[in-house]
Amino acid sequence: MANHRFTPVSEGESCCGISRRAQICLCVFLCLLVGVIIAVVAGVRLWHQPLKHREWNGTGSTAHFQDIFLGRCYIYTQLVQPEFRDRDCKKIEEAFRNAFISKDPCEVTEEDYHPLMELASQTVPCDKTVFWSRTKELAHQYTWVRQEMFTLENTLLGYVADGLTWCGDSGSSEMNYQSCPDWRKDCKNNSVTVFWKVLSKMFAENACGMVQVVLNGSLSNAFSKDSTFGGVEVHNLHPEKVHTLQAWVMHDIGKSPSDSCSGSSIMDLKSIMSKRNIKFTCQDNYRPVKFLQCVRNPEDSSCSLRT
Amino acid sequence: MERHPEPVHFLLSLDKNCTAIWEAFKVVLDKNPCSVVPSDYDLFLNLSWHSIPRDKSLFWENNHLLVTSYAENGRRFMPLCNVLYGRVGDFLSWCRQENTSGLDYQSCPTAEDCENNPVDSYWKRASVQYAKDSSGVIYVMLNGSEPRGAYPVKGFFADFEIPHLQKDKITRIEIWVMHNIGGPIIESCGEGSVKTLEERLERLGFQYSCINDYQSVKLLQCVDHSTHPDCALNSAAASTQKEVPSPYGLQSASFVFPLLVASVSVAQM
């Protein structure tokens, strides 16, 4: 038999015409290449995987937050207070986001909100500031009727943020719509609480003339140091600007009063004011606000009109 | 003008696509501002429609602010401006420019310029729907201090709402004729244009009643007039009050009260 049918493979020759050594090198190279590709792909995927938002005990950010924020801002600047017509709502929204986006929602600081406060600063005319404590609805009904008076929620930032929830997460540029920190169960320095604290401080600092506060006389302590009013606002009134604080202690209709102008919590408030050199007056059931309560309870004997 | 954002509303569970509603509304902004008819808002209305709770309808004329205050953003009553398809347009104005595209931010045609303008057609369409969907006891608040008459014989209520009230869904109609605190009392129940309204409702076969200065609304008016004798409370507890000016536009003309009434009030305080 002739040898031409089988060409014996000599040492150093593969079937494809490349040397054994080259074959091995090629194999190793291919393996390495595959390995590198896998590593890169895995790395890229891990990098881009959205970090799962942390889980908190409070309700998540309000759905459509940005649209609501912008919409309310435009309503306020174009319709409610037209002297704000030239304020830039987009810039305000951006400054608001920057305060808490990509940050740990339990480590929000007052400074985080300073750029926003500067952009959206507002000074309420003298004698027109109305504080409230545990009487939100009633105070708002009052300023609805007396349109020249302002609660915090009648200022631009208060109006825009009222009733909303928001929080971000460090390492994510998204808002957390699943949950946000609860003040009691998670942390006190959360994005929402700090906002209202900073805003309340500014609201009090800018107040002038005679200021009013609507207090709840159906609670055992109409004035409480634990409230935003008692803990923040009262201490940020400027005696050079505010000459009098007038308190209206309102009692729920049909219930016997728990506290009043002569109660001890009001005595506390009075002494705080006198230490700060601000005159203090108090009225139980200030009539205009009482009328508001009567709208809901026209049949109550205390609401019966003589005519 | 609404001073507060809408509080959490029991209708908040509405499954509405706001973007789609806006797209449907937007078509009107491309039309000649004198060629917009009520039916141009049909698709918008379809998408934003929701029912009105029974006994909560509140119709009105010449007292927009008082009505919105009293309705408490839909919690106490639900006037048209608290229904979704009425709320979006409330206090707003809109129209395309006459000869080019884009909104006209300077001026828009009124009924005097042309009947088929975007804003009037919107309210006509919305009013018709609101009336059709109202049921139970129907309430109407009129202004008895309005010099032109409490019930405008030509107006949205007369021309677009009454004709579309559904007799089989309505139990009765209650009219409140409110007067500014301190007057003037121009018309009251059974008088002038109010009488015209009452007769019309009777002809149409509706059971109706009329109340002057409905107490609950009057108490709201008194927030601004707490020291006025008309707002004196029967209860003995009276704290000293400062008279505060009324910003409402419900200014009372100066009045003269019999000395007797004043001295009786003082004696009873």
Side-chain angles (χ1 to χ4, degrees):
Chain A
M1 184 146 12
N3 279 2
H4 69 275
R5 277 172 65 196
F6 294 105
T7 315
V9 177
S10 57
E11 283 282 308
E13 266 192 20
S14 77
C15 58
C16 307
I18 44 178
S19 66
R20 193 53 174 278
R21 191 177 300 135
Q23 222 182 356
I24 293 168
C25 284
L26 188 65
C27 259
V28 168
F29 173 74
L30 282 171
C31 286
L32 273 173
L33 186 65
V34 168
V36 164
I37 289 172
I38 290 172
V40 166
V41 167
V44 164
R45 282 194 67 197
L46 270 173
W47 178 274
H48 280 298
Q49 188 174 56
L51 279 159
K52 244 190 95 167
H53 279 301
R54 285 176 66 179
E55 284 177 22
W56 306 102
N57 285 296
T59 42
S61 302
T62 309
H64 308 289
F65 182 89
Q66 195 169 11
D67 285 330
I68 294 173
F69 189 104
L70 273 175
R72 284 181 176 183
C73 182
Y74 286 124
I75 290 175
Y76 191 91
T77 56
Q78 305 303 310
L79 298 170
V80 178
Q81 300 288 145
E83 56 267 30
F84 277 71
R85 202 175 281 130
D86 296 327
R87 300 277 182 129
D88 189 333
C89 282
K90 291 222 167 85
K91 279 218 177 81
I92 292 171
E93 199 272 331
E94 196 186 324
F96 189 91
R97 295 194 128 241
N98 288 339
F100 66 91
I101 281 291
S102 304
K103 296 184 186 163
D104 187 322
C106 274
E107 284 173 21
V108 182
T109 64
E110 294 187 22
E111 287 70 44
D112 287 331
Y113 282 109
H114 279 173
L116 171 68
M117 296 294 149
E118 231 138 280
L119 202 54
S121 69
Q122 179 169 7
T123 302
V124 169
C126 288
D127 307 324
K128 308 295 180 193
T129 298
V130 177
F131 296 100
W132 54 267
S133 189
R134 326 290 206 228
T135 53
K136 185 178 184 184
E137 214 182 281
L138 197 52
H140 287 170
Q141 283 169 4
Y142 182 68
T143 58
W144 170 278
V145 174
R146 308 301 316 277
Q147 299 216 328
E148 77 282 11
M149 313 279 279
F150 289 76
T151 61
L152 182 60
E153 295 74 21
N154 297 123
T155 63
L156 172 60
L157 285 179
Y159 183 92
V160 164
D162 193 19
L164 304 184
T165 303
W166 60 92
C167 67
D169 222 337
S170 48
S172 166
S173 58
E174 300 295 313
M175 285 177 70
N176 186 343
Y177 291 98
Q178 269 63 61
S179 63
C180 283
D182 175 86
W183 185 81
R184 202 166 292 121
K185 296 178 192 165
D186 295 310
C187 57
K188 293 195 175 20
N189 288 340
N190 61 72
S191 20
V192 176
T193 304
V194 173
F195 169 84
W196 288 111
K197 183 166 182 202
V198 176
L199 194 65
S200 301
K201 226 193 231 184
M202 210 173 74
F203 185 59
E205 279 168 351
N206 288 336
C208 59
M210 163 140 68
V211 301
Q212 285 77 215
V213 60
V214 187
L215 297 174
N216 190 335
S218 290
L219 297 174
S220 45
N221 287 321
F223 172 68
S224 161
K225 291 188 187 117
D226 294 331
S227 64
T228 304
F229 175 66
V232 178
E233 289 167 335
V234 141
H235 302 291
N236 284 284
L237 294 172
H238 284 186
E240 325 85 71
K241 294 204 270 189
V242 174
H243 57 72
T244 308
L245 169 67
Q246 190 182 118
W248 302 327
V249 181
M250 306 305 301
H251 300 121
D252 288 347
I253 299 226
K255 291 198 213 153
S256 47
S258 301
D259 200 359
S260 70
C261 285
S262 44
S264 58
S265 80
I266 299 295
M267 292 299 126
D268 280 348
L269 177 55
K270 185 171 185 176
S271 80
I272 293 174
M273 286 296 107
S274 94
K275 282 200 194 95
R276 307 206 64 224
N277 256 332
I278 296 174
K279 188 163 160 238
F280 178 76
T281 65
C282 187
Q283 287 181 41
D284 285 311
N285 292 312
Y286 176 58
R287 190 79 64 83
V289 180
K290 182 171 170 73
F291 277 123
L292 282 169
Q293 293 175 306
C294 284
V295 177
R296 287 223 186 149
N297 301 275
E299 309 299 312
D300 192 87
S301 55
S302 67
C303 293
S304 116
L305 289 172
R306 207 167 292 139
T307 49
Chain B
M1 178 56 229
E2 171 219 300
R3 295 196 83 211
H4 295 283
E6 178 103 28
V8 177
H9 200 288
F10 77 98
L11 286 174
L12 221 60
S13 51
L14 281 184
D15 205 359
K16 293 293 177 207
N17 182 341
C18 287
T19 308
I21 292 172
W22 164 243
E23 292 294 325
F25 183 95
K26 236 170 61 168
V27 301
V28 153
L29 303 177
D30 289 327
K31 305 190 88 189
N32 182 301
C34 277
S35 310
V36 179
V37 293
S39 60
D40 287 334
Y41 291 102
D42 282 350
L43 179 59
F44 156 75
L45 210 106
N46 252 323
L47 295 177
S48 57
W49 185 91
H50 63 81
S51 63
I52 298 157
R54 202 177 164 77
D55 305 327
K56 293 284 194 211
S57 292
L58 178 56
F59 295 86
W60 57 271
E61 283 285 3
N62 293 314
N63 42 31
H64 192 183
L65 284 183
L66 183 57
V67 163
T68 41
S69 286
Y70 186 66
E72 251 193 86
N73 258 320
R75 275 180 300 187
R76 205 193 320 272
F77 279 94
M78 195 176 287
L80 176 53
C81 48
N82 288 144
V83 174
L84 181 57
Y85 54 81
R87 186 183 168 82
V88 290
D90 203 24
F91 294 109
L92 302 185
S93 180
W94 61 93
C95 62
R96 197 203 71 182
Q97 291 177 76
E98 203 179 333
N99 293 316
T100 55
S101 63
L103 291 180
D104 188 337
Y105 290 99
Q106 305 310 316
S107 66
C108 281
T110 62
E112 274 152 27
D113 300 305
C114 56
E115 191 188 326
N116 294 332
N117 66 75
V119 176
D120 283 336
S121 293
Y122 170 90
W123 289 114
K124 286 174 186 171
R125 183 67 190 89
S127 298
V128 165
Q129 193 64 49
Y130 183 70
K132 280 190 180 154
D133 294 335
S134 293
S135 64
V137 183
I138 303 295
Y139 299 91
V140 187
M141 195 190 300
L142 300 176
N143 186 347
S145 293
E146 168 58 52
R148 295 170 294 178
Y151 166 66
V153 178
K154 291 211 73 49
F156 282 101
F157 180 54
D159 296 328
F160 296 93
E161 289 169 338
I162 294 180
H164 292 97
L165 292 174
Q166 309 286 296
K167 232 188 318 178
D168 53 337
K169 293 204 279 199
I170 291 170
T171 48
R172 61 183 179 89
I173 299 180
E174 189 172 298
I175 305 164
W176 303 330
V177 182
M178 301 307 301
H179 302 101
N180 296 346
I181 300 292
I185 298 181
I186 298 186
E187 286 180 343
S188 296
C189 290
E191 296 173 6
S193 66
V194 184
K195 184 165 178 215
T196 307
L197 171 62
E198 290 169 351
E199 286 168 350
R200 182 180 180 190
L201 293 177
E202 186 157 346
R203 268 200 313 276
L204 289 168
F206 288 107
Q207 200 195 347
Y208 70 89
S209 57
C210 187
I211 301 172
N212 285 315
D213 295 309
Y214 181 60
Q215 192 85 317
S216 189
V217 181
K218 184 170 179 183
L219 287 161
L220 182 58
Q221 291 176 302
C222 282
V223 177
D224 259 339
H225 301 270
S226 53
T227 53
H228 193 285
D230 280 0
C231 292
L233 288 169
N234 270 324
S235 55
S239 38
T240 45
Q241 306 294 329
K242 291 191 340 236
E243 173 77 60
V244 280
S246 160
Y248 235 156
L250 299 175
Q251 298 282 2
S252 53
S254 65
F255 56 89
V256 175
F257 265 85
L259 199 57
L260 185 63
V261 174
S263 57
V264 166
S265 319
V266 167
Q268 283 190 331
M269 274 189 192

